[in-house]
Amino acid sequence: MRYTLLLHYPEMAGELDDETLRAGQEAFASYAATLHAAGVLVSAEVLQQSHATTTVRVVDGALRVQDGPFADSKDQLGGTVVVDVADLDAAIGWASQAPNATWGAVEVRPGATHVVDGRWVPNA
């Protein structure tokens, strides 16, 4: 079963110092390597900060483009990890090991469908 781990971080007011940034990068590199070695990693991506977000909607047939995220929040969606594991308990186990679980939140959401070779297929 595929689960997406949505990595939420507090919005950063300023730049991180080099040591903190390096430690975070090392923690996420180790986490990705552990997921890969376990054979559960499907994909992972770190996103740019939320100020780079553009939200798109079509309302009453008209395109509406908004600079910034959909929700105004002190947290931002900072990245995603997709794992293919046996069940929710296994997904929660991997989510609990995400570095930001100690200073942010990790939302665990089962996938419904995903794309393979350009076609949507149901999550198994």
Side-chain angles (χ1 to χ4, degrees), residues 11 48-57 64-73 75-77:
E11 283 284 2
Q48 292 187 21
Q49 290 187 0
S50 66
H51 65 78
T53 300
T54 301
T55 301
V56 176
R57 292 185 192 83
R64 298 211 178 146
V65 179
Q66 170 188 330
D67 289 337
F70 174 72
D72 190 18
S73 171
D75 287 338
Q76 66 172 325
L77 176 61

Side-chain angles (χ1 to χ4, degrees), residues 37-100:
V40 300
L41 182 63
V42 174
S43 68
E45 187 161 352
V46 174
L47 304 175
Q48 292 187 21
Q49 290 187 0
S50 66
H51 65 78
T53 300
T54 301
T55 301
V56 176
R57 292 185 192 83
V58 175
V59 179
D60 297 326
L63 176 64
R64 298 211 178 146
V65 179
Q66 170 188 330
D67 289 337
F70 174 72
D72 190 18
S73 171
K74 292 183 180 182
D75 287 338
Q76 66 172 325
L77 176 61
T80 62
V81 175
V82 178
V83 295
D84 192 349
V85 295
D87 54 30
L88 177 59
D89 290 336
I92 291 170
W94 287 112
S96 72
Q97 295 178 49
N100 71 295

